[in-house]
Amino acid sequence: MSKRPATDVFHDWALVGKDKGMERGHAASVSEMLSFISKQVEVSGKAFSAVDVGCGNGWVVRKLQSHDKCEYAMGIDGAEAMIAKAKTIDEKTDYIHALLPDYQPSRKFDFVHSMEFLYYLNDPENMLKLFHDNWLEDGGWAVIGIDHYTENEDSLSWPEYVGVHMATRTTKEWEKAWQDAGFVNINHWIAGGEGGVTLVFTGQKQA
Ligand SMILES: C[S@@+](CC[C@H](N)C(=O)[O-])C[C@H]1O[C@@H](n2cnc3c(N)ncnc32)[C@H](O)[C@@H]1O
């Protein structure tokens, strides 16, 4: 089966309301990822900025904004209908329609959050390096969750089933990619509660 760009597929998904299903399906894992962010904010005691990359309809951006220490949060996605939806729900927030890895942010962030986005890229290792070098403040954290990886055998049929490219890596290969990108204090866990499969990696840019 020939592969379509992931952003075209997710554009279509937004048109038929499948973004809401993803929101529900990803909620438990994202809740753990946001708890990690809250813990770091508590440690620093400072206001923070954040970006959600591959933000879909923007639901995580709005969750980040609801934190009382959040001074700025924005979202980026390459699917036009996802961003249109995000703007309809909340016209005051910055939701940017842009393709990655080409888009360069005009500012840096304390947190880069991303759920179920990274492996759609041809070179996710390079994106990690870009997050580290160009997107994060010194001392900032990347918090990235993925459900498609080698050890999650059920996910290995997804590229054929969905008809999009997915970069399949082992947990060890992801760990090396985070190290090679320059991150320190790298950790990972499986999120999503009982039966959860989300491989979450967190890593910090040296302060
Ligand atoms: C599985 S969805 C996840 C959406 C959202 N994070 C969520 O959890 O509901 C993946 C998202 O990544 C976006 N995406 C995939 N490849 C992209 C690229 N190269 N540039 C920008 N966005 C991309 C898609 O458009 C889609 O909205």
Side-chain angles (χ1 to χ4, degrees):
M1 184 169 144
S2 67
K3 301 271 197 289
R4 296 174 69 203
T7 48
D8 288 2
V9 170
F10 287 107
H11 171 82
D12 292 350
W13 281 31
L15 293 178
V16 296
K18 282 193 182 180
D19 53 304
K20 291 303 286 178
M22 284 199 294
E23 186 176 332
R24 281 191 296 275
H26 298 166
S29 299
V30 165
S31 161
E32 292 183 38
M33 294 160 72
L34 294 180
S35 290
F36 176 87
I37 291 178
S38 285
K39 259 184 225 138
Q40 303 312 318
V41 172
E42 213 179 301
V43 170
S44 83
K46 292 193 203 135
F48 72 92
S49 58
V51 59
D52 187 34
V53 181
C55 67
N57 71 17
W59 64 281
V60 179
V61 178
R62 295 184 286 280
K63 281 191 182 290
L64 285 161
Q65 282 174 333
S66 71
H67 192 293
D68 59 0
K69 286 254 178 348
C70 181
E71 64 176 13
Y72 181 72
M74 62 174 278
I76 297 169
D77 200 284
E80 202 177 339
M82 286 289 184
I83 291 298
K85 227 172 201 191
K87 286 182 170 163
T88 307
I89 298 167
D90 162 25
E91 60 184 19
K92 282 181 266 143
T93 293
D94 292 332
Y95 296 110
I96 307 231
H97 176 227
L99 266 188
L100 295 154
D102 306 342
Y103 174 82
Q104 291 273 350
S106 56
R107 58 163 294 159
K108 289 188 173 180
F109 303 90
D110 299 306
F111 295 96
V112 169
H113 176 281
S114 184
M115 175 62 184
E116 277 288 86
F117 152 76
L118 192 57
Y119 59 75
Y120 291 106
L121 301 179
N122 288 324
D123 188 353
E125 289 83 359
N126 179 52
M127 191 74 241
L128 280 176
K129 191 155 177 42
L130 292 173
F131 284 152
H132 179 274
D133 293 353
N134 302 342
W135 292 62
L136 281 172
E137 298 280 7
D138 291 348
W141 289 89
V143 181
I144 297 183
I146 52 165
D147 289 352
H148 174 81
Y149 52 95
T150 307
E151 292 87 341
N152 183 15
E153 287 178 16
D154 286 349
S155 76
L156 300 181
S157 60
W158 295 356
E160 278 309 307
Y161 180 69
V162 185
V164 298
H165 160 81
M166 297 184 192
T168 311
R169 308 283 189 265
T170 62
T171 304
K172 270 241 158 327
E173 286 167 338
W174 280 117
E175 188 159 24
K176 181 172 182 319
W178 280 73
Q179 287 161 353
D180 291 348
F183 285 99
V184 295
N185 299 323
I186 300 164
N187 263 306
H188 64 84
W189 75 92
I190 299 296
E194 200 167 321
V197 294
T198 303
L199 175 61
V200 176
F201 265 91
T202 59
Q204 189 173 26
K205 180 167 173 171
Q206 191 82 58

